[in-house]
Amino acid sequence: MPAIALSGGEPTVHRDFWPVLAEIGRRGGFYPAIATNGTTFANIEFAERAKKLGLRYVEISIDAADPNVHDKFRGGVPGAWAKAVQGLRNAVKLGFSAALAFTVTKYNISEVDKILDLAQEIGVKRVVFFNFVPVGRGRENLEIDLPPEEREEFLRHIYKEMKRRKMEIISTAPQYGRVVNQLSNGEDVSPTHFVVANDPITRELTEFIGGCGAGRVYAAIEPEGTVTPCVFLPYPVGNLRTKSFWDIWMDPFMENFRDRDRLEGFCGKCHIS
């Protein structure tokens, strides 16, 4: 089932959030999801309304187990951590498929184990560690990104924690698939940052997907209808007001992302998906 994930900015404060969510539910055939800072979900009535309209997956960003670290990272807004945590608790309580999202940087990498403890305490089954991607205002903070050696150590650590804690711990880092394959001796695969598994179907998909899913398993739709391969790759491929999503998806530019023969350097030589 194709998923439509609402994100932002903060999607829940947009004036059209409710009608858009209702329309997704009305049409059927979609898996409605949201990526949010969680503050609005701290209000249980808000969360209940979203569930009634068909929302199924809630991913809430919490960037530290320490409230002060999170609030500073989130623009210095006092109480942001408390609301995000309460929002995640409400999502679990109401039976959403819920995930905790964490953007890993030099600033908060010491919080990784503590955030996993927090996720387990809340009852979340899934933690997604996002790469820091220096686009937009992030270009002003390049120094907070992890160096390659530290990222490799981090990826190895979270895989081991996933096996130890028996919860789903994944990363948006494309090389996580290689780390998973190496540490599991080929037993587990991670086709994208959606899953780590060892079943035959997922393994077969890995041969096609692997690494980054931009243009392969997802695309981004901007508010005015422009489609890009990913929210972090703002290259306009087409607009839904003038072309169908399928026509845009099959555009030669998008096809480039699915052609492994075009990979160069280490990515082109790697035999591990």
Side-chain angles (χ1 to χ4, degrees):
M1 178 182 292
I4 296 182
L6 303 176
S7 66
E10 176 50 43
T12 63
V13 299
H14 194 280
R15 64 181 182 276
D16 294 326
F17 171 70
W18 293 117
V20 168
L21 181 58
E23 183 64 16
I24 294 171
R26 185 190 70 80
R27 293 191 178 215
F30 294 112
Y31 185 87
I34 191 168
T36 170
N37 64 25
T39 56
T40 54
F41 278 81
N43 181 322
I44 192 69
E45 288 81 13
F46 183 99
E48 288 173 336
R49 182 181 179 188
K51 188 172 180 65
K52 288 178 181 177
L53 288 176
L55 186 65
R56 296 176 61 180
Y57 178 82
V58 177
E59 185 176 276
I60 293 179
S61 296
I62 302 177
D63 292 304
D66 182 332
N68 294 323
V69 174
H70 173 91
D71 290 357
K72 183 179 179 180
F73 191 67
R74 289 271 154 179
V77 180
W81 183 90
K83 287 186 176 181
V85 169
Q86 185 57 52
L88 195 53
R89 292 189 190 279
N90 287 343
V92 171
K93 178 181 178 180
L94 293 176
F96 286 104
S97 176
L100 186 156
F102 181 104
T103 300
V104 62
T105 66
K106 292 179 181 178
Y107 178 70
N108 63 0
I109 192 166
S110 63
E111 294 280 312
V112 167
D113 286 344
K114 288 177 279 189
I115 207 73
L116 292 174
D117 291 340
L118 177 63
Q120 286 190 303
E121 185 268 314
I122 293 173
V124 173
K125 305 298 183 185
R126 191 171 196 250
V127 177
V128 185
F129 286 102
F130 281 82
N131 274 354
F132 170 72
V133 182
V135 296
R137 287 181 295 174
R139 287 178 293 183
E140 303 168 10
N141 299 282
L142 295 174
E143 72 282 353
I144 71 172
D145 198 13
L146 300 182
E149 297 81 7
E150 192 170 8
R151 190 182 308 282
E152 178 76 10
E153 181 181 350
F154 158 72
L155 293 175
R156 288 174 171 268
H157 177 71
I158 62 172
Y159 174 75
K160 293 173 183 176
E161 284 299 299
M162 181 185 71
K163 304 302 281 189
R164 184 178 75 84
R165 295 174 184 260
K166 301 189 185 325
M167 64 189 300
E168 191 173 2
I169 302 174
I170 49 185
S171 170
T172 62
Q175 64 267 44
Y176 188 52
R178 186 259 305 156
V179 170
V180 166
N181 192 288
Q182 288 178 328
L183 294 185
S184 69
N185 293 317
E187 290 294 320
D188 292 334
V189 293
S190 181
T192 69
H193 59 268
F194 296 121
V195 67
V196 174
N198 56 20
D199 61 278
I201 294 177
T202 304
R203 186 174 298 281
E204 192 68 26
L205 282 173
T206 305
E207 295 302 314
F208 166 70
I209 305 168
C212 179
R216 291 175 174 269
V217 294
Y218 55 75
I221 303 173
E222 296 180 356
E224 82 291 347
T226 297
V227 177
T228 69
C230 170
V231 294
F232 298 118
L233 183 58
Y235 181 92
V237 185
N239 191 289
L240 294 177
R241 296 180 184 275
T242 57
K243 297 176 69 175
S244 71
F245 182 83
W246 178 253
D247 286 341
I248 297 172
W249 183 255
M250 298 306 293
D251 184 276
F253 183 80
M254 298 287 272
E255 289 278 12
N256 286 335
F257 291 90
R258 301 163 211 152
D259 184 359
R260 283 185 176 275
D261 292 336
R262 298 182 69 88
L263 294 174
E264 298 179 356
F266 288 110
C267 292
K269 297 174 184 177
C270 182
H271 297 294
I272 303 174
S273 296

